[in-house]
Amino acid sequence: MAYPWQNLDPKGFVQITQPHWISDIDQQVLLHLYQPIIGGTAYAFYQTLYANIQLGDFVSRPLRHFDLMEQMVVGKEQYVKARRRLEAIGLLQVYEKSDHHSQDEVTTIFQLQAPLDSKHIFSDPIMSSLLMDRLGQDRYQFMLDKFSAKKPVELTSTDWTEVTATFQDVYRLPSQYYPISDEIEARLMQKNPATKATTLTSSSLDMTTLKELLQSSFISEKAITDEVKEMFITLHQLYGFDEVDLKELALSATDLRTNQIDVRKLQRLALNQSSQQAGQEGEEHVERTKARLTDRITVSETAKRQQVDQADQVWLEKGLTQEELSFSKLARNYPPIAFAKSIKEQKGGYLTKSEGKAITELIELGVIQPATLNVMVQFCLVELEQPRLTRSYLESVADDWRQNKVIEPEEAMIYLKQRKQKSAENYEKRQKNRIAKGRYQTQKASVKPKWLDPDSRQDKYQKPVSAPKVNKQDASKEATTKQENKASLSAQEAEIQQLLQSLNTKEGE
């Protein structure tokens, strides 16, 4: 699978045009109603494009893609992601030239679109559902109040009478009409005529079956308007509600007196049901879902089960255990956010916003299946005992798996087992090398360096002491002096001997 940003040439020229007015009110709508959906980077990209448009002719000068990247301080991947977010929600149209002969020629046109007004956003099933999902009901209601007009008094009552002057009261009608050509009229700036940001199509929702279920519950076909159909498709795409779920939601949102489905109530009920975490109602809903799934088992589904058993046998032959196969089936049945949240809660923590965002962005890239991502989350949090999930680590693992053709969750588990076995073999090999090296070192003769030998160190660092040089005259004088001193000592010793003898004679008398 090729990434969208791989084909982008940063040196290619692009020109920005603005076909519609973008007023200060439109900027408020972008900030408060679009930014929670498209994200901060896409919002900054829109404002960057808008800032480069010259107000005189509503077109920018030719720019290179990397000029816009440097202005936003983003890389090629973030640049293309932000652009695609604007395209998908109707804020940007992109045109590319297939043939060009010069490198300085403009090859891409960015046509910046004005946002929808607040009324169309809140009445659009897709936009309102996305906004409520991002903001929550309290913040969503706050935005409804913010963009609603406040009437201090009721002017339709009989206490008030309109006294506004008419055009004829003030101005004189012109005597001549000056029409403009169709070409000039087509170039004039106007408001964005669009009433919808985007349109969802669903191939899996069976609208015929849903109509039959509703009619069997005494809801007429007239109540299923185009707006209701679009809301059904939106809820099916965003929250995964099937035909039976939508029928139950529609019954709760239907006014039986008028036989009309309240679209706003239907939307609120769907959001409440999707956000339920526990409780008796949630358990009853699960039981009803299980019962419906049991009733819907057909012969074709039985054949699919046999195919699944055959596939299990293939994975068993490749080295997986029955327990690992059960885990792969569990990984296929859980959304990645719910799966990661369950593991974090079992570890005594909670899934942070950054972790949830990292998982969501990895799914949006389309580089890994949700079930395979669950295997990656279990590997990081349980096997490696990491305290949290980081975007950089998840992307590096996903890139490694993609390079090694790891697609299915079973393939991921086999790949992890092979990596673990290879790592153990390498560790054992290193240990053997260390032991062999240690034995070799003990058998070697111990060689002491010269600088550790005190004798050699003394010979190297201590100089020999030499006798001082003496003259011949000094030597003769010194010898004479020594002889005289010796004669003097001998005479003194003789006198002492005589005194001792005289003392001994006196003592004997």
Side-chain angles (χ1 to χ4, degrees):
M1 176 181 176
Y3 295 106
W5 54 85
Q6 289 179 342
N7 299 325
L8 177 69
D9 181 14
K11 296 181 180 179
F13 279 94
V14 60
Q15 201 163 19
I16 311 163
T17 62
Q18 179 187 335
H20 306 124
W21 285 111
I22 300 177
S23 63
D24 293 340
I25 297 178
D26 291 330
Q27 292 289 356
Q28 291 293 316
V29 171
L30 281 167
L31 177 63
H32 295 290
L33 302 183
Y34 273 88
Q35 185 178 206
I37 300 174
I38 64 177
T41 306
Y43 174 77
F45 186 61
Y46 185 96
Q47 297 297 344
T48 301
L49 298 179
Y50 180 70
N52 281 280
I53 294 175
Q54 301 174 5
L55 295 180
D57 48 8
F58 298 98
V59 67
S60 72
R61 63 180 180 84
L63 301 166
R64 294 186 186 273
H65 288 288
F66 71 73
D67 294 330
L68 298 173
M69 294 181 200
E70 289 182 349
Q71 189 172 352
M72 294 176 59
V73 196
V74 296
K76 191 163 68 170
E77 178 182 348
Q78 291 176 296
Y79 176 80
V80 175
K81 283 183 180 179
R83 192 191 81 180
R84 288 167 60 85
R85 283 181 175 272
L86 296 180
E87 295 173 19
I89 209 164
L91 292 176
L92 184 67
Q93 292 181 353
V94 181
Y95 300 89
E96 293 184 349
K97 192 175 183 180
S98 55
D99 297 330
H100 59 280
H101 306 285
S102 175
Q103 293 183 350
D104 297 333
E105 187 179 355
V106 174
T107 58
T108 306
I109 296 294
F110 285 165
Q111 196 172 83
L112 199 63
Q113 303 293 320
L116 300 179
D117 56 43
S118 58
K119 181 178 180 180
H120 285 102
I121 289 177
F122 286 113
S123 61
D124 184 274
I126 300 174
M127 292 294 290
S128 59
S129 297
L130 286 173
L131 194 61
M132 182 179 288
D133 185 65
R134 295 291 192 276
L135 298 178
Q137 291 192 25
D138 294 339
R139 185 71 179 172
Y140 181 84
Q141 186 61 45
F142 176 78
M143 288 299 166
L144 271 174
D145 297 337
K146 180 180 179 64
F147 287 92
S148 299
K150 309 298 188 296
K151 294 182 179 180
V153 293
E154 187 60 44
L155 298 177
T156 57
S157 63
T158 56
D159 297 335
W160 298 89
T161 303
E162 184 178 1
V163 294
T164 307
T166 63
F167 181 85
Q168 294 85 348
D169 294 338
V170 180
Y171 300 100
R172 182 169 56 88
L173 291 174
S175 59
Q176 189 176 358
Y177 173 60
Y178 299 94
I180 60 174
S181 64
D182 294 339
E183 182 181 357
I184 295 177
E185 184 178 2
R187 294 202 307 265
L188 291 176
M189 297 289 291
Q190 61 179 347
K191 294 176 111 180
N192 188 358
T195 57
K196 291 185 179 297
T198 184
T199 302
L200 288 178
T201 57
S202 175
S203 58
S204 58
L205 181 63
D206 191 345
M207 191 61 68
T208 303
T209 302
L210 180 57
K211 286 181 180 180
E212 293 175 356
L213 290 172
L214 291 173
Q215 290 175 2
S216 65
S217 301
F218 306 102
I219 297 178
S220 65
E221 189 174 357
K222 293 182 179 180
I224 310 172
T225 61
D226 292 338
E227 186 180 8
V228 173
K229 290 179 183 178
E230 192 169 359
M231 180 60 74
F232 282 153
I233 295 174
T234 301
L235 298 177
H236 172 71
Q237 293 283 67
L238 291 179
Y239 303 112
F241 292 123
D242 60 7
E243 293 82 3
V244 178
D245 294 327
L246 292 173
K247 182 207 75 171
E248 294 178 355
L249 291 171
L251 286 174
S252 302
T254 301
D255 187 349
L256 298 178
R257 294 174 299 175
T258 60
N259 198 20
Q260 291 181 350
I261 300 175
D262 188 343
V263 178
R264 297 290 160 262
K265 186 176 181 180
L266 175 65
Q267 186 182 35
R268 289 194 299 271
L269 291 172
L271 182 63
N272 290 336
Q273 184 167 329
S274 65
S275 61
Q276 281 181 349
Q277 301 296 328
Q280 184 177 359
E281 295 181 359
E283 294 177 358
E284 292 176 356
H285 174 71
V286 171
E287 293 299 328
R288 290 196 303 270
T289 303
K290 289 181 179 179
R292 289 197 300 269
L293 290 175
T294 304
D295 295 338
R296 293 175 187 175
I297 294 176
T298 60
V299 176
S300 60
E301 290 175 343
T302 304
K304 289 181 181 179
R305 286 185 176 181
Q306 294 176 355
Q307 294 177 0
V308 169
D309 294 338
Q310 295 176 358
D312 290 348
Q313 187 62 35
V314 172
W315 293 120
L316 289 172
E317 293 175 356
K318 289 184 177 182
L320 290 182
T321 63
Q322 193 64 46
E323 184 180 356
E324 290 170 339
L325 280 177
S326 300
F327 174 73
S328 69
K329 294 177 182 178
L330 178 69
R332 292 181 185 276
N333 294 329
Y334 268 86
I337 293 293
F339 186 83
K341 183 179 179 182
S342 175
I343 293 179
K344 291 297 291 288
E345 289 178 352
Q346 291 177 24
K347 294 180 66 175
Y350 67 97
L351 189 69
T352 63
K353 290 184 178 180
S354 60
E355 291 176 315
K357 185 177 179 181
I359 294 173
T360 303
E361 290 181 352
L362 204 59
I363 290 295
E364 290 177 352
L365 286 176
V367 298
I368 188 172
Q369 293 184 5
T372 310
L373 180 57
N374 287 339
V375 176
M376 183 190 300
V377 169
Q378 192 268 348
F379 171 70
C380 296
L381 295 178
V382 180
E383 297 292 334
L384 299 182
E385 297 183 353
Q386 293 183 354
R388 65 185 61 85
L389 300 170
T390 60
R391 177 182 175 181
S392 59
Y393 186 79
L394 291 178
E395 287 183 345
S396 64
V397 176
D399 181 57
D400 175 62
W401 289 7
R402 188 172 182 82
Q403 292 181 23
N404 288 277
K405 310 300 182 184
V406 176
I407 300 175
E408 301 294 334
E410 293 84 2
E411 294 174 341
M413 287 188 287
I414 292 175
Y415 179 70
L416 290 174
K417 291 179 70 174
Q418 292 174 350
R419 287 284 300 269
K420 187 176 181 180
Q421 183 179 0
K422 186 176 180 181
S423 177
E425 291 176 354
N426 291 336
Y427 177 78
E428 185 178 357
K429 186 177 180 180
R430 289 194 301 268
Q431 289 294 104
K432 290 181 179 179
N433 291 337
R434 288 181 185 143
I435 294 172
K437 187 176 179 181
R439 290 175 179 174
Y440 174 73
Q441 288 180 347
T442 54
Q443 293 174 359
K444 288 177 62 177
S446 177
V447 179
K448 186 183 295 183
K450 289 184 177 181
W451 57 270
L452 282 177
D453 188 4
D455 296 333
S456 61
R457 189 166 62 243
Q458 183 177 2
D459 294 340
K460 183 176 182 181
Y461 298 103
Q462 293 183 2
K463 295 182 179 180
V465 180
S466 58
K469 295 181 179 181
V470 183
N471 296 334
K472 292 182 178 180
Q473 294 179 356
D474 295 338
S476 61
K477 289 181 181 180
E478 185 177 357
T480 304
T481 304
K482 288 182 177 181
Q483 290 178 358
E484 291 176 355
N485 291 337
K486 187 176 181 181
S488 176
L489 289 173
S490 299
Q492 290 178 359
E493 288 179 356
E495 291 179 357
I496 292 172
Q497 290 292 336
Q498 291 178 358
L499 288 173
L500 289 173
Q501 289 178 1
S502 61
L503 289 174
N504 291 331
T505 302
K506 289 180 179 181
E507 288 179 356
E509 293 179 354

